[in-house]
């Protein structure tokens, strides 16, 4: 009997070893779960978003790994026929690349993160300590998930975004019976996702991330454990503000939007879907349109078996567009949906209003393409570039003479009328005066002659984004002031 027991012990040892491995695995997972809830405790009871102080995150933070794993395991965006999940394999690959690079360093932003396939700029990213030293913080706006503040760091203005405790996102979550800890964690996930996605989409019409901080410490009752992202500071957009812009500025926004649509349809991670397309997701940075909110985007086309699975219906316009089903995907679905929504919120009412008459036929074609989805984004860009080129060259003025005609206006070199005889006029670029852009002096004279209130204009050396010259129309005359950068032209009596 003793010998039999001795011969069975090797087999028993195998079972003991296997059981030990299982127990070790379970303990390891429990420890990771504990680490996850350490973060939840850190960020989900935060109450004061008006002073987002932050702390440095340590290398190889398990917190960030947990956040990334959560992002990888969830499908963001809305469904079509309860089957379409836009946040699929392409964004998973993006997150995996990021986790193995930036996130493996605990999201330490003391250097510019190098996301695979993404160019790195020469600017250093702000880290947690830098963000803590942002001064002159002032509340700008809040949405469902985020509160946005503006501040300054070393004299540079920037936007600071953090979780909004009083937002609809968290309040709705709590009303559904979910704990405050879990609700805050879900909101914080969206900011972390934005940090990753914005850095992976380098384009001049996408807002630039300047820095970020994802704290690791357990929340202790104050605001120094907030998840924070810092970006360029932009000007919010609303309908009234857009309609008050000059046509040239509205042309720029329409052109920017068209180029952005082309970029979104061809990103390295697949066609990008904006599942909640609103004007509030965009800002103006020095007059340039930029996408700033990407917490509800996805990368991939809907799955399909045949063409009829790829019908895109817009109930607001009673309009349906069908795309082809290629290789199990609705080809061009995201691009067409983005294009229609961009036209509805921007281009179709920005371009026609106040446009030069000789550009009307081209503009009508672009507007029709936005409304009926008759052109893809590449073709839209080609048409918009033609409109911009004609406007820059002055071809829209339909001049037959190559030489500049003589003027009857009285010319005063190096002269100005600063702060005098300013008046408001239609399509002015400023609120306090009649400031317009012109191709040349002749166009300025023509505009002044058409305006009965205009007595003259100041021709500056300032240029717009198209290279046109800025002029200030005046409704009165006085002794001019010397200014080496301007010239004064007065209508003859």
């Amino acid at each position: 009997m003793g010998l039999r027991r001795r011969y069975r012990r090797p087999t028993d040892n195998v079972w003991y070893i296997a059981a030990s491995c299982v127990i070790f695995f379970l303990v390891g997972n429990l420890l990771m779960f504990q680490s996850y809830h350490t973060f939840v405790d850190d960020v989900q009871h935060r109450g004061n978003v008006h002073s987002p102080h932050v702390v440095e995150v340590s290398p190889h933070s398990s917190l960030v790994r947990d956040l990334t794993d959560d992002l990888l395991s969830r499908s963001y965006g809305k469904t079509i026929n309860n089957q379409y999940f836009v946040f699929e394999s392409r964004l998973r690959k993006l997150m995996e690349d990021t986790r193995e690079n930036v996130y493996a360093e605990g999201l330490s932003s003391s250097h510019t993160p190098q996301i695979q396939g993404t160019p790195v700029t020469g600017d250093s990213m702000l880290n947690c300590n830098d963000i803590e030293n942002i001064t002159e913080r002032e509340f700008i706006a809040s949405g469902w998930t985020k509160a946005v503040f503006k501040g300054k760091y070393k004299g540079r203005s920037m936007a600071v975004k953090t979780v909004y405790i009083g937002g609809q996102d968290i309040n709705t979550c709590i009303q559904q019976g979910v704990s405050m800890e879990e609700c805050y964690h879900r909101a914080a996930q969206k900011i972390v996702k934005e940090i990753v996605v914005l850095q992976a989409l380098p384009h001049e019409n996408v807002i630039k991330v300047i820095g970020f901080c994802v704290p690791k410490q357990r929340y202790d009752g104050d605001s120094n454990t907030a998840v924070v992202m810092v970006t360029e500071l932009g000007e919010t957009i609303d309908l009234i503000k857009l309609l008050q812009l000059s046509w040239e500025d509205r042309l720029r926004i329409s052109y920017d939007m068209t180029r952005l649509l082309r970029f979104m349809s061809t990103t390295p991670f697949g066609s990008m879907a904006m599942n909640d397309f609103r004007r509030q997701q965009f800002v103006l940075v020095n007059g340039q349109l930029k996408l700033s909110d990407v917490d509800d985007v996805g990368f991939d086309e809907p799955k399909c078996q045949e063409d009829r699975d790829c019908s895109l219906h817009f109930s607001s316009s009673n309009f349906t567009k069908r795309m082809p089903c290629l290789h199990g995907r609705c080809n061009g679905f995201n691009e067409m949906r983005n294009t229609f929504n961009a036209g509805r919120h921007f281009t179709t009412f920005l371009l026609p209003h106040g446009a030069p008459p000789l550009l009307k036929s081209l503009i009508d074609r672009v507007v029709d393409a936005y409304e009926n989805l008759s052109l893809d984004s590449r073709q839209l860009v080609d048409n918009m570039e033609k409109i911009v080129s004609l406007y820059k060259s002055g071809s829209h003025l339909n001049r037959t003479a190559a030489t500049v005609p003589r003027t009857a206006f009285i010319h005063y070199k190096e002269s100005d009328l600063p702060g005098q005889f300013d008046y408001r006029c239609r399509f002015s670029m400023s609120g306090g005066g009649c400031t317009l852009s012109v191709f040349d002096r002749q166009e300025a004279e023509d505009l002044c002659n058409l305006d009965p209130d205009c007595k003259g204009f100041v021709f500056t050396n300032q240029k717009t984004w198209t290279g046109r010259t800025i002029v200030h129309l005046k409704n009165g005359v006085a002794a001019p002031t010397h200014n080496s950068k301007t010239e004064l032209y007065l209508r003859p009596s």
Side-chain angles (χ1 to χ4, degrees), residues 14 42 90 146 164 166 177 193 204 217 263 292 298 301 328 348 352 376 380 438:
V14 171
D42 282 348
R90 302 294 180 96
K146 297 185 292 290
Y164 181 31
K193 176 188 173 183
E204 59 184 324
Q217 281 75 3
F263 171 73
S292 63
E301 308 276 20
T348 56
D376 60 27
L380 280 172
V438 296

Side-chain angles (χ1 to χ4, degrees), residues 251-317:
L251 172 64
R252 183 180 189 181
I253 292 174
S254 301
Y255 184 40
D256 285 341
M257 176 56 72
T258 307
R259 290 191 299 172
L260 182 59
L261 288 172
R262 181 58 182 164
F263 171 73
M264 290 193 297
S265 69
T266 58
T267 77
F269 313 104
S271 179
M272 177 174 160
M274 291 191 63
N275 302 303
D276 185 23
F277 201 113
R278 294 175 292 113
R279 279 187 288 270
Q280 291 83 350
Q281 294 173 299
F282 300 86
V283 295
L284 293 177
V285 180
N286 298 323
Q288 186 176 41
L289 184 73
K290 296 201 176 191
L291 174 63
S292 63
D293 190 342
V294 294
D295 63 7
D296 196 25
V297 303
F299 297 84
D300 222 339
E301 308 276 20
K303 296 179 181 179
C304 61
Q305 294 182 344
E306 52 188 346
D307 288 355
R308 66 179 180 180
D309 297 331
C310 301
S311 293
L312 182 58
H313 180 70
F314 299 97
S315 57
S316 61
S317 302

Side-chain angles (χ1 to χ4, degrees), residues 115-178:
I115 299 177
Q116 183 172 337
T118 304
V120 176
T121 65
D123 300 331
S124 296
M125 299 283 285
L126 299 186
N127 58 30
C128 297
N129 290 332
D130 296 329
I131 295 173
E132 188 175 6
N133 292 323
I134 292 178
T135 60
E136 300 181 32
R137 298 181 187 180
E138 180 182 339
F139 175 80
I140 299 178
S142 61
W144 279 45
T145 304
K146 297 185 292 290
V148 184
F149 304 82
K150 67 177 179 180
K152 286 189 176 181
Y153 181 77
K154 295 184 177 179
R156 179 183 180 184
S157 296
M158 53 194 61
V160 180
K161 303 179 181 181
T162 187
V163 175
Y164 181 31
I165 293 294
Q168 187 71 24
D169 213 348
I170 285 187
N171 287 335
T172 301
C173 178
I174 292 176
Q175 290 172 7
Q176 294 173 349
V178 182

